[in-house]
Amino acid sequence: MTALATVLLWATATHPTLVDAGTFSVSAALVIAGAIGVIVARNPVHSALMLIMTLFGVAVLFLLLQDPFLAVVQVIVYAGAIVVMFLFVIMFLGVDREENLGAEKLRGQRPTSVILAAASLAGLLILGFVGHWTLGAPHVAGPDTGAPNVNLLGQSLFTTYLFPFEATAALLIIAVVGAVALARRPGGEQKVVDAAPGPLAPELDPASRFVVTPPAPGGNEDAEPSGPGNQNGGDGS
Amino acid sequence: MTHLAATASTIHLPHVNYVSILPILIMMGGALLLLLLSSLLRRIISTGVCTAITVMTSAAAAVAAIVQWDQVLANGAQTTIAGAVAYDGFSVLIQLLVPLALGLTALVADGYLKREGVVGGEFQVLAMASASGAMVMGAANDLIVVFLGLEILSIALYVLAAFNHRRAESGEAALKYFVLGSVSSAIFLYGIALMYGATGSTNLAKMAEFLARRAVLSNGLLLAAMALLLVGFAFKVSAVPFHMWSPDVYQGSPSPVSGFMASVAKAGAFAALLRVFVSSLATQRLGWQPVIWVLAALSLLVGAIVALNQQDVKRMLAYSSINHAGFILLGVDAADARGISSALYYLVTYTIMVIGTFAVVTVIAGRQDRATGLLEFRGLARRQPVLALALAILLLGQAGAPFTTGFLAKFNVIEAVVLTHGYTLAVIAMVSAAVAAFFYLRVALTMFSPVGEFGDGPDDDVPLDPAALVGAATPGAASGVTTVPPRAWSAAMPGIDELADAPPSEVVEARGKVPVPPATWVVIGFCALFTVVFGIYPAPLVDFAQHATLLFI
């Protein structure tokens, strides 16, 4: 609570108007509460929802900095698309049950994380106070012409960054083709997964290996998928 | 709230010089065309057609690059498309080299894909896309474009590494490459962000201008940015502290893809590295040169020494490619016109040699890329003398033997370093070349050694590949598979006693000749001839590399 009070005091001191200070403190509290919720919640779905709260608070902060475009993108892309994808994955994998937070899977994970978090916070604070550590390029983003930043962004996309903008299209196509090529399994043939046993399992009988036989094309669609992971996945919700 | 509806000013679109990006457009267009064809046709497009389209696209891109070369010689270097693309001899050389490498790889992959029974055009689509990424990197004059090129190159390569669905190592290699590659890309991106903060631009020319005009008093941000950019590049070229991925990935990937990775990915990354550091950050040389020095020295030593111990030829070639990266870094360390031209010459010759070498390995390895152990090459000279001779030439070229292109390549980079008074580094390079010669010669000697010197008795290894048992298309390769234990992930240091579990002589004899598809013959022959012809008569190639440098901005 003292940390929150400090932030509130700082916000009132630096933001002259009361509205700004109020908006800042509310959204900052949302951001922090959401961030804590993400790591504290026992249910992964709740964690994802808490993440939305954090991202929404950050979007309000962007608005406060007079950047409506970033705020909108923050909500649409992060809260809208990315977290929804998180939720999809959580639901698909069937891990929407409570995790035991007491067990450490990695030895020494918690103390390390606390030390690292403290170190990065200290680093940020030092960099903030030291000040003259950059080259001092004035107006990195160019002088403020008063034009709305959506317009500026659109203009630079089609002028300065025309080639990178078009190249991004190529990148997206390749990502899609790559994903399809990876997911695609050529049918009609018997496939052997993990056909080469490592040096640890030399006596493995060839017949006992995991042999996947895809169903004949056009055949039994109603066949039960009998992967070993599917049995206990669907009953969590 | 600001006025969102205000200032409907006209936008002046930048002038686009289409010739300057013509090879990239052709390459990307070829990929899209093949993608469209394979999805429109009702039945699965045959591998031969895909290969033909890929080779023709590469040829068209190379012709476009030659047109560019004339234009650049006539009009001089320039930047186009709002300064995002550099159009100079340096970029044209990459536009020519990458399609050449892609065409050769496609011809090797043709035989590989038919042997493995991989159908569909995705392999060639991704290979063309990956090549276009390397070409974008070669022409990039903006850090954002460098990053996009890097990602186009890498994402396609991640998938290509996983292309052999039936081989667990292939998927493992791809996953490893993907995870480590993504991390390095993120680090690189962070470097770009810091560079933007330090200089106010991501455009290489503007960065250079900013740094040249100002006396830099406190360069903390700039140093951090350069460090992060170097980490990203060092990962892609697999220089030593960042090389861990490459032996596993080269070994696990399909052999033609390993050759592609060693050539095209390295060419693209080195092109961007040279342009960013030698050209754009030239004023900050004191900041980055010591780092390059350490990277080069470590790559030279670790690459050569660890390769000595490898029993798997693909793994050995991975370490040898780390060693080669060290040599090319010598040219970067020299950081002058001579250094750049020697690095480019090295890249061109190495690209050809490594693709040829991996072509031979593809053929020898047989189905599922199993037979890549050093012992598979024993007696090759008796069974297939021409193949053995070609491989010997390519390996000698990589070792830097006289009368091959590799000799002058090594000589040039070392000379460039000596002329900038980097004597220590030059000595390290020469020692490493001598050490490296040993493991190249070991493969060559293995090929020419008579069969049956080692080995006590028949191995009782079970046949490991049910698919090969069920009925392999190539009986010779299949019987080879059955005789040899896979040294896949156990390549961790068996010493000389490894020779004790050599397959007995009669089994090796029974393996017989490995089938070599005609297209692969073309590639192997081309690469071996290139290595010898330009090794004896190097003038045109050296000239080309030097002209590419003169027009460098």
Side-chain angles (χ1 to χ4, degrees), chain A residues 88-102:
Chain A
F88 266 132
V89 173
I90 290 170
M91 298 296 188
F92 270 134
L93 292 181
V95 291
D96 51 342
R97 49 185 187 276
E98 299 204 342
E99 298 281 330
N100 182 9
L101 290 175

Side-chain angles (χ1 to χ4, degrees), chain A residues 68 132-135 137 140-141 148 151 155 158-164 167-168 170-171 173-174 177-178 181-182 184-186 189 192 194-196 199 206 209, chain B residues 1 3 6-7 9 11-14 28 35 81-82 85 119 122 129 144-145 148 151-152 155 159 162 165-166 168-169 196 198 210-211 216 218-221 464:
Chain A
H132 299 290
W133 59 293
T134 67
L135 296 181
V140 167
N151 296 21
Q155 273 193 7
F158 285 98
T159 54
T160 321
Y161 298 107
L162 179 65
F163 187 69
T168 312
L171 179 59
I173 286 184
I174 286 139
V177 174
L182 269 185
R184 187 188 77 117
R185 286 280 180 266
E189 280 183 84
V192 180
D194 193 17
R209 244 164 253 137
Chain B
M1 212 69 210
H3 314 279
T7 62
S9 58
I11 296 181
H12 299 287
L13 290 175
M28 203 61 221
L35 194 63
I81 320 185
V85 172
V119 291
E122 288 89 350
I144 295 179
V145 182
L148 285 170
E151 284 300 288
I152 294 174
I155 287 182
V159 183
H165 292 309
R166 298 178 209 175
E169 288 98 329
Y196 180 71
F210 178 89
L211 293 171
V216 179
S218 56
N219 56 358
L221 195 59
L464 286 161

Side-chain angles (χ1 to χ4, degrees), chain B residues 69-250:
Chain B
W69 181 252
D70 284 342
Q71 241 190 33
V72 169
L73 280 185
N75 304 337
Q78 50 178 316
T79 61
T80 70
I81 320 185
V85 172
Y87 185 33
D88 55 7
F90 185 85
S91 77
V92 174
L93 189 141
I94 300 295
Q95 315 291 320
L96 192 56
L97 177 64
V98 171
L100 180 63
L102 174 70
L104 295 174
T105 305
L107 287 176
V108 179
D110 182 58
Y112 175 84
L113 295 174
K114 282 174 184 160
R115 186 179 77 200
E116 303 292 325
V118 177
V119 291
E122 288 89 350
F123 185 95
Q124 285 88 352
V125 170
L126 288 167
M128 280 192 268
S130 186
S132 75
M135 291 154 81
V136 168
M137 287 182 88
N141 198 37
D142 190 305
L143 283 176
I144 295 179
V145 182
V146 172
F147 177 73
L148 285 170
L150 189 76
E151 284 300 288
I152 294 174
L153 170 76
S154 307
I155 287 182
L157 269 182
Y158 301 148
V159 183
L160 285 178
F163 225 83
N164 198 338
H165 292 309
R166 298 178 209 175
R167 202 163 161 257
E169 288 98 329
S170 184
E172 185 178 335
L175 188 66
K176 199 170 255 176
Y177 193 25
F178 173 64
V179 172
L180 294 176
S182 314
V183 172
S184 85
S185 294
I187 291 174
F188 187 79
L189 199 55
Y190 195 16
I192 294 176
L194 292 189
M195 195 54 94
Y196 180 71
T199 63
S201 175
T202 55
N203 190 292
L204 296 184
K206 285 185 187 151
M207 277 161 50
E209 192 195 337
F210 178 89
L211 293 171
R213 278 197 186 165
R214 283 167 181 76
V216 179
L217 293 177
S218 56
N219 56 358
L221 195 59
L222 189 63
L223 286 181
M226 290 196 295
L228 294 176
L229 289 182
L230 261 184
V231 170
F233 279 129
F235 179 88
K236 288 298 167 197
V237 304
S238 64
V240 153
F242 311 102
H243 69 294
M244 290 309 206
W245 60 276
S246 79
D248 288 351
V249 172
Y250 279 33

Side-chain angles (χ1 to χ4, degrees), chain A residues 87-145:
Chain A
L87 285 173
F88 266 132
V89 173
I90 290 170
M91 298 296 188
F92 270 134
L93 292 181
V95 291
D96 51 342
R97 49 185 187 276
E98 299 204 342
E99 298 281 330
N100 182 9
L101 290 175
E104 281 196 50
K105 283 187 181 146
L106 225 60
R107 187 184 288 273
Q109 183 182 14
R110 297 227 168 116
T112 319
S113 69
V114 170
I115 292 168
L116 283 182
S120 24
L121 185 64
L124 281 178
L125 288 177
I126 288 172
L127 286 185
F129 284 121
V130 165
H132 299 290
W133 59 293
T134 67
L135 296 181
H139 298 299
V140 167
D144 186 9
T145 55

Side-chain angles (χ1 to χ4, degrees), chain B residues 173-489:
Chain B
L175 188 66
K176 199 170 255 176
Y177 193 25
F178 173 64
V179 172
L180 294 176
S182 314
V183 172
S184 85
S185 294
I187 291 174
F188 187 79
L189 199 55
Y190 195 16
I192 294 176
L194 292 189
M195 195 54 94
Y196 180 71
T199 63
S201 175
T202 55
N203 190 292
L204 296 184
K206 285 185 187 151
M207 277 161 50
E209 192 195 337
F210 178 89
L211 293 171
R213 278 197 186 165
R214 283 167 181 76
V216 179
L217 293 177
S218 56
N219 56 358
L221 195 59
L222 189 63
L223 286 181
M226 290 196 295
L228 294 176
L229 289 182
L230 261 184
V231 170
F233 279 129
F235 179 88
K236 288 298 167 197
V237 304
S238 64
V240 153
F242 311 102
H243 69 294
M244 290 309 206
W245 60 276
S246 79
D248 288 351
V249 172
Y250 279 33
Q251 191 186 15
S253 306
S255 300
V257 176
S258 306
F260 189 71
M261 250 180 230
S263 55
V264 170
K266 215 158 253 194
F270 265 115
L273 173 66
L274 281 166
R275 199 186 284 280
V276 170
F277 279 90
V278 180
S279 148
S280 181
L281 296 171
T283 48
Q284 306 301 310
R285 188 174 299 172
L286 292 178
W288 53 262
Q289 217 165 13
V291 186
I292 294 279
W293 195 99
V294 173
L295 286 177
L298 284 179
S299 307
L300 286 167
L301 290 177
V302 173
I305 291 169
V306 181
L308 289 177
N309 235 339
Q310 303 305 318
Q311 296 299 320
D312 184 289
V313 170
K314 277 170 90 177
R315 233 179 145 74
M316 186 212 86
L317 285 173
Y319 280 105
S320 114
S321 93
I322 293 168
N323 185 25
H324 286 298
F327 274 104
I328 304 173
L329 281 172
L330 292 184
V332 183
D333 183 76
D336 52 4
R338 189 184 293 270
I340 295 166
S341 83
S342 63
L344 282 180
Y345 181 79
Y346 205 112
L347 266 182
V348 173
T349 55
Y350 171 66
T351 295
I352 303 294
M353 287 187 288
V354 80
I355 288 182
T357 312
F358 271 105
V360 180
V361 173
T362 307
V363 174
I364 304 275
R367 252 178 104 81
Q368 305 271 330
D369 276 337
R370 280 289 163 64
T372 55
L374 187 57
L375 295 164
E376 304 297 336
F377 290 78
R378 199 135 57 85
L380 184 68
R382 191 191 299 175
R383 280 170 292 165
Q384 280 161 300
V386 185
L387 195 63
L389 181 69
L391 183 56
I393 289 172
L394 293 166
L395 288 174
L396 286 175
Q398 292 202 44
F403 304 116
T404 60
T405 47
F407 173 72
L408 200 60
K410 283 192 166 53
F411 183 83
N412 277 344
V413 285
I414 292 176
E415 186 195 18
V417 158
V418 166
L419 288 177
T420 52
H421 308 291
Y423 301 114
T424 319
L425 201 52
V427 170
I428 293 176
M430 283 185 258
V431 169
S432 127
V435 175
F438 176 75
F439 59 78
Y440 293 123
L441 289 178
R442 190 176 60 160
V443 178
L445 286 180
T446 312
M447 289 190 302
F448 287 94
S449 75
V451 175
E453 271 181 17
F454 308 101
D456 331 305
D459 262 355
D460 52 353
D461 281 301
V462 290
L464 286 161
D465 185 5
L469 281 184
V470 166
T474 52
S479 71
V481 166
T482 57
T483 56
V484 181
R487 295 180 179 80
W489 300 101

